[in-house]
Amino acid sequence: MSCTSCSPPAIRPPVDLNNQSEIIRGREVVRVSKFFSGASEGKFLSTLYDDVKTLYDAFRKGAKESNNGRCLGWRQNISRPYQWIHYNQALLRARNFGSGLLGLGVNPGSFVGIYSQNCPEWIITEQGAYCYSMIIVALYDTLGPDACAFIINQAEISVLIVDDDSKCNQIIDRAPRCLKKIISIREVRMATMQRARSRAIEIIRFDEIERVGAQKMFEEVPPKPTDLCTICYTSGTTGNPKGVMLTHGNVIAAISAALLQLSDHRPKYSDVLISFLPLAHMLERTCESAMFLVGGSIGYYSGDIKNLTEDMKTLKPTIMPAVPRLLNRMYDKVMAQIRPSFIKRLMFNMAMGSKENEIKKFQSGALKIIDRKRHIFKLAQGEYIVPEKIEAVYSKSLYVHQIFVYGESLKSYIVAIVVPDVDVVKCKALENGIPGTLSVLCADPKVKQMIMEDMAAWARQDGLRNFEQVKDIYLHPDPFSVQNGLLTPNFKMQRAQLKSYFKPQIEDLYNPPNPTATKNS
């Protein structure tokens, strides 16, 4: 049986991937994209549609394109089906909410804060703000309470939307004087209401703002392309958060460029996107804005990343914005299922073999990005280490759930913190007569040796050089997560926090009681 008969046809890019740009004649070497025909004439792409110049326009364009199709979907828990808000209803609720904000004294051009997980109310807040030319400022967990207070104060945010009681309390503890009202999407406790009142802050329910706004129904004040749509704050490596000011025109241009490059493969009104990457970051914001532009549907995950697979089974999305770490974990789970079966391995290898023929090496002289500069470090002997490359190799081991590779300029070798895959380790331990919980197994030298041998095999297979191979590991039973501050909301490792968190263990790895000769090799 030919594997090509059961696999989708290869995607044909709209331009030659080995020759994606051309040089404009002149004194300086200036390259422009071939995706946009006007680029060679010095023109810039600002929008794909003359009637879409702002995010306010884009949402209304989508409502027409979809013929009032499904817009925002959610479910209360993983045992319930998805419920849907259609475009016209979303438009009405957004206008009601924006009118309610105006009634609270939030004027056009003012900043509206939001601190919430992804949900339909996030978008209703955003679009409601755009109805009256207000500007969205998003907060997120890994900023920390002090940074959140700094942002609220700097942007002079008087009204903040939050999703639950917990976030209300986090904000109240360090609330600047400019914050006057908190709008909660869900119920908050009476004790929280009282704490807020003691700080001269009023807590109001989200649906109450909609109700009052519907009664007042102020005339809309649509934004211009040059108006700010958001200030996106970065956590920053040092000092206070830095705010990036983005206009409606900025975001529409970015969306238009992405859709142009996707060509025939751009999303359509029939597509469904699953939303789980944080809306506080521009990757997810632009993806969802592009979906609204074409009239697509967006279903929000149920709130726990562990249940994402169950959400996907129910929602059946056709589009999923993702980050490499998540895709690697999905790949590892697939490989764990097919390795025990010869037939499954054979079919998988046949499918991969057919795709390898389509992969070509770029030889256009373009710059290849291998990692962020701040992640690369040099060992004592002068060799440079790219930790994410090494982590990607070791993550192929079935034993490895997560791994943090560490090194420094005064040491000649690298070490790693490894969070084992609980199911695989327990199974292999039982096969070898080693009982115990994961915490007990992590402290067992035999388990450590078993994992290190498998990691070493992958290092050899993938051609890691000697200085790129970890010489010792510490097994940690608890996963890195957003909640414990070791992952960002995009599920990237917080390397500075990991270094600090595991400082005692790292010191022990570099100063073992019985150092082996291999560490000096």
Side-chain angles (χ1 to χ4, degrees), residues 355-371:
K355 293 300 177 186
E356 285 174 1
N357 295 327
E358 300 165 8
I359 300 173
K360 296 180 180 179
K361 184 178 180 181
F362 289 93
Q363 295 180 339
S364 59
L367 178 68
K368 180 182 179 183
I369 299 174
I370 58 173
D371 203 351

Side-chain angles (χ1 to χ4, degrees), residues 13-23 31-36 39 261 362-366:
V15 299
D16 181 2
L17 294 182
N18 291 315
N19 190 19
Q20 299 182 43
S21 63
E22 57 186 348
I23 298 176
R31 304 189 73 94
V32 295
S33 172
K34 286 188 174 181
F35 284 99
F36 180 43
Q261 292 182 61
F362 289 93
Q363 295 180 339
S364 59

Side-chain angles (χ1 to χ4, degrees), residues 332-493:
D332 291 342
K333 290 293 183 184
V334 171
M335 296 306 295
Q337 291 175 0
I338 70 171
R339 278 199 179 103
S341 168
F342 172 76
I343 298 297
K344 288 181 180 179
R345 287 202 312 274
L346 179 64
M347 294 182 67
F348 181 82
N349 290 334
M350 289 173 64
M352 291 301 291
S354 69
K355 293 300 177 186
E356 285 174 1
N357 295 327
E358 300 165 8
I359 300 173
K360 296 180 180 179
K361 184 178 180 181
F362 289 93
Q363 295 180 339
S364 59
L367 178 68
K368 180 182 179 183
I369 299 174
I370 58 173
D371 203 351
R372 292 191 177 191
K373 182 179 178 181
R374 68 172 183 240
H375 292 171
I376 299 173
F377 55 84
K378 185 162 61 173
L379 295 177
Q381 66 270 38
E383 301 286 1
Y384 283 96
I385 295 292
V386 182
E388 289 186 344
K389 166 195 170 184
I390 299 167
E391 289 159 356
V393 172
Y394 287 128
S395 292
K396 295 178 182 180
S397 169
L398 286 178
Y399 293 100
V400 178
H401 174 59
Q402 292 170 314
I403 180 170
F404 166 58
V405 168
Y406 178 82
E408 53 187 72
S409 60
L410 297 179
K411 305 294 182 183
S412 60
Y413 60 93
I414 57 176
V415 296
I417 307 296
V418 174
V419 177
D421 186 293
V422 59
D423 297 324
V424 174
V425 169
K426 281 190 173 182
C427 180
K428 292 295 183 181
L430 285 174
E431 288 178 6
N432 289 275
I434 309 172
T437 63
L438 183 61
S439 296
V440 172
L441 295 175
C442 283
D444 193 297
K446 294 179 182 177
V447 172
K448 178 178 175 178
Q449 183 64 26
M450 181 172 62
I451 294 175
M452 286 198 71
E453 287 176 358
D454 191 66
M455 289 173 60
W458 278 106
R460 289 192 298 271
Q461 179 173 317
D462 279 37
L464 288 184
R465 288 171 288 182
N466 184 60
F467 66 85
E468 293 178 304
Q469 299 177 29
V470 298
K471 299 301 188 284
D472 203 355
I473 63 174
Y474 169 76
L475 299 180
H476 187 65
D478 301 318
F480 312 151
S481 69
V482 176
Q483 288 71 28
N484 61 27
L486 301 180
L487 294 183
T488 71
N490 281 336
F491 311 109
K492 297 176 183 177
M493 285 193 291

Side-chain angles (χ1 to χ4, degrees), residues 140-201:
Y140 48 97
D141 288 331
T142 50
L143 284 170
D146 291 330
C148 287
F150 171 83
I151 292 169
I152 292 169
N153 186 59
Q154 187 180 66
E156 297 182 351
I157 294 171
S158 62
V159 175
L160 176 70
I161 291 84
V162 302
D163 54 355
D164 58 21
D165 185 271
S166 172
K167 289 194 176 73
C168 278
N169 281 288
Q170 290 178 44
I171 295 299
I172 291 169
D173 286 338
R174 292 174 173 80
R177 291 182 178 179
C178 61
L179 184 63
K180 303 300 182 184
K181 292 177 174 63
I182 294 176
I183 300 172
S184 180
I185 295 171
R186 293 193 282 274
E187 289 282 357
V188 297
R189 295 174 301 141
M190 186 59 67
T192 303
M193 305 274 282
Q194 292 171 347
R195 287 188 68 227
R197 278 196 292 269
S198 70
R199 300 289 185 93
I201 297 172

Side-chain angles (χ1 to χ4, degrees), residues 72-353:
L72 308 172
W74 82 101
R75 61 177 180 166
Q76 294 175 337
N77 54 61
I78 59 172
S79 64
R80 302 291 293 275
Y82 270 84
Q83 304 176 62
W84 290 94
I85 300 172
H86 287 243
Y87 268 89
N88 288 350
Q89 184 186 1
L91 280 168
L92 179 60
R93 287 189 61 183
R95 181 175 181 181
N96 290 344
F97 189 77
S99 176
L101 290 177
L102 201 65
L104 290 179
V106 184
N107 297 316
S110 297
F111 298 110
V112 176
I114 182 165
Y115 185 17
S116 168
Q117 275 196 326
N118 298 12
C119 61
E121 288 82 2
W122 213 109
I123 300 302
I124 290 168
T125 297
E126 180 186 36
Q127 288 298 321
Y130 297 159
C131 286
Y132 297 93
S133 295
M134 298 167 190
I135 303 158
I136 291 293
V137 179
L139 308 178
Y140 48 97
D141 288 331
T142 50
L143 284 170
D146 291 330
C148 287
F150 171 83
I151 292 169
I152 292 169
N153 186 59
Q154 187 180 66
E156 297 182 351
I157 294 171
S158 62
V159 175
L160 176 70
I161 291 84
V162 302
D163 54 355
D164 58 21
D165 185 271
S166 172
K167 289 194 176 73
C168 278
N169 281 288
Q170 290 178 44
I171 295 299
I172 291 169
D173 286 338
R174 292 174 173 80
R177 291 182 178 179
C178 61
L179 184 63
K180 303 300 182 184
K181 292 177 174 63
I182 294 176
I183 300 172
S184 180
I185 295 171
R186 293 193 282 274
E187 289 282 357
V188 297
R189 295 174 301 141
M190 186 59 67
T192 303
M193 305 274 282
Q194 292 171 347
R195 287 188 68 227
R197 278 196 292 269
S198 70
R199 300 289 185 93
I201 297 172
E202 182 183 6
I203 296 180
I204 314 170
R205 278 295 302 271
F206 192 94
D207 51 11
E208 178 64 13
I209 300 296
E210 288 187 72
R211 187 186 65 78
V212 173
Q215 293 174 348
K216 295 181 180 295
M217 196 50 70
F218 293 106
E219 184 178 350
E220 293 186 13
V221 185
K224 300 186 294 295
T226 53
D227 288 340
L228 288 179
C229 67
T230 191
I231 294 186
C232 184
Y233 277 89
T234 62
S235 55
T237 52
T238 59
N240 291 318
K242 313 298 189 296
V244 179
M245 298 185 293
L246 297 174
T247 67
H248 283 266
N250 290 149
V251 180
I252 289 296
I255 293 168
S256 299
L259 292 176
L260 184 72
Q261 292 182 61
L262 288 170
S263 186
D264 296 337
H265 307 288
R266 69 180 61 168
K268 303 179 291 294
Y269 68 88
S270 57
D271 279 308
V272 180
L273 179 147
I274 186 163
S275 171
F276 66 95
L277 294 181
L279 274 164
H281 295 287
M282 289 310 298
L283 170 61
E284 184 68 20
R285 290 271 287 287
T286 51
C287 287
E288 294 196 21
S289 296
M291 288 294 288
F292 295 138
L293 172 59
V294 301
S297 308
I298 296 177
Y300 296 92
Y301 83 126
S302 54
D304 188 340
I305 199 68
K306 294 178 182 176
N307 296 326
L308 181 61
T309 303
E310 295 301 317
D311 290 331
M312 292 178 68
K313 287 178 182 177
T314 303
L315 183 65
K316 296 180 174 56
T318 56
I319 296 175
M320 184 182 79
V323 290
R325 184 166 298 279
L326 179 70
L327 297 176
N328 286 339
R329 296 315 309 167
M330 294 174 69
Y331 172 83
D332 291 342
K333 290 293 183 184
V334 171
M335 296 306 295
Q337 291 175 0
I338 70 171
R339 278 199 179 103
S341 168
F342 172 76
I343 298 297
K344 288 181 180 179
R345 287 202 312 274
L346 179 64
M347 294 182 67
F348 181 82
N349 290 334
M350 289 173 64
M352 291 301 291

